[in-house]
């Protein structure tokens, strides 16, 4: 049996990633593929526990280094317990956020630097990187997230507009650095249109 493909969805707050992860999985299932949808932080029992530590409480609860290491610890568990076994059994895996979120949030916006965060993640998961990363982009992303969360953002979603602008800028830098793996996908328009754009961006991977 051949190994499944590992695809991640990325982007700032409120760009519709979770909805699109489900829709993309459904479109792939209609093509006969066995698909697992998972998310970060979380996706395994231990990582879901770390998620609570990361997203609840005051912003000052963790410094950027501790925060980065917690995301990396959650990711190591998620890869070992959930993602790698699924891929080995031939399933495709669509993950809502992965290492690129750490590069953009903790590295780009949090000030640790993309390279330092990359090194921490190599320590956590070695060379376990997605085959394709689709970054959903939406200019008014911040507005949508605020509307969705109605003033109840989590520890990280609730950070300043400046922080979130730096996140968006970092995703664009990452996409420019690795154009084959990382592709920007316009998240404007009807959900079905966005799903079609995502499918187009992985067309070369489809059987
Ligand atoms: P979540 O509720 O899943 O947000 P969203 O719907 O925007 O994906 O919360 C995840 C939050 O954690 C989000 O603000 C992004 C942030 N995050 C990081 O800062 N670094 C990371 O490595 C990951 C995976 C997420």
């Amino acid at each position: 049996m051949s190994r499944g493909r590992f695809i991640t969805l990325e982007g700032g707050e409120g760009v519709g990633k979770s909805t699109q992860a489900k829709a993309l999985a459904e479109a792939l299932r209609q093509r006969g593929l066995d698909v697992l949808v998972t998310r970060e932080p979380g996706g395994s029992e231990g990582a879901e526990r770390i998620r609570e530590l990361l997203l609840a409480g005051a912003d000052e609860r963790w410094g950027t280094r501790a925060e980065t290491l917690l995301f990396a610890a959650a990711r190591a568990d998620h890869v070992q317990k959930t993602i790698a076994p699924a891929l080995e059994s031939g399933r495709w895996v669509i993950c809502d956020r992965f290492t690129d979120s750490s590069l953009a949030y903790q590295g780009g916006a949090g000030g640790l630097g993309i390279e330092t965060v990359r090194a921490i993640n190599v320590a956590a998961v070695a060379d376990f990187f997605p085959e394709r990363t689709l970054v959903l982009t939406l200019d008014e992303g911040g507005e949508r997230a605020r509307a969705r969360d109605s003033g109840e953002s989590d520890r990280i979603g609730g950070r300043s507009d400046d922080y979130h602008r730096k996140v968006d800028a970092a995703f664009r830098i990452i996409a420019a650095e690795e154009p084959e793996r990382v592709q920007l996908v316009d998240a404007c328009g009807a959900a079905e249109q966005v799903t079609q754009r995502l499918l187009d961006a992985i067309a070369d991977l489809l059987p």
Side-chain angles (χ1 to χ4, degrees):
M1 187 191 306
S2 64
R3 201 171 180 274
R5 303 271 197 184
F6 180 32
I7 295 161
T8 59
L9 291 189
E10 294 281 5
E13 311 290 314
V15 291
K17 280 188 316 320
S18 321
T19 308
Q20 286 302 329
K22 289 188 206 120
L24 181 60
E26 203 39 55
L28 294 178
R29 286 183 191 122
Q30 279 168 15
R31 286 166 174 72
L33 295 167
D34 185 1
V35 187
L36 172 73
V37 179
T38 184
R39 62 137 185 214
E40 289 208 344
S44 62
E45 194 189 330
E48 290 289 336
R49 298 289 293 274
I50 298 174
R51 178 186 175 92
E52 293 163 19
L53 296 174
L54 277 162
L55 298 186
D59 200 358
E60 316 74 69
R61 184 176 193 185
W62 307 108
T64 309
R65 280 179 193 276
E67 183 176 290
T68 304
L69 288 160
L70 283 168
F71 275 115
R75 186 161 299 128
D77 194 63
H78 186 205
V79 167
Q80 187 199 345
K81 306 274 177 50
T82 305
I83 300 177
L87 293 172
E88 275 153 27
S89 72
R91 302 185 79 187
W92 284 45
V93 175
I94 296 176
C95 189
D96 181 351
R97 296 193 182 280
F98 196 67
T99 301
D100 296 295
S101 275
S102 285
L103 301 183
Y105 281 79
Q106 286 66 49
L112 210 48
I114 288 176
E115 287 318 314
T116 300
V117 175
R118 206 191 301 273
I120 288 171
N121 276 273
V122 167
V125 298
D127 58 356
F128 198 94
F129 254 82
E131 288 167 77
R132 187 66 42 84
T133 295
L134 308 170
V135 182
L136 287 169
T137 59
L138 193 69
D139 285 346
E140 68 276 23
E143 272 79 4
R144 273 186 57 183
R146 268 192 294 280
R148 183 194 61 184
D149 292 336
S150 59
E152 291 176 40
S153 292
D154 58 47
R155 238 188 103 247
I156 295 173
R159 288 177 182 165
S160 69
D161 287 349
D162 184 50
Y163 183 93
H164 291 291
R165 266 192 295 274
K166 287 180 182 159
V167 169
D168 290 339
F171 274 128
R172 287 170 198 277
I173 290 169
I174 296 163
E177 280 175 355
E178 287 185 78
E180 298 231 329
R181 177 178 70 85
V182 186
Q183 296 185 15
L184 300 177
V185 176
D186 183 3
C188 288
E192 303 77 50
Q193 282 179 306
V194 180
T195 309
Q196 187 55 53
R197 286 179 205 134
L198 295 172
L199 278 169
D200 291 345
I202 58 166
D204 59 310
L205 301 180
L206 294 174

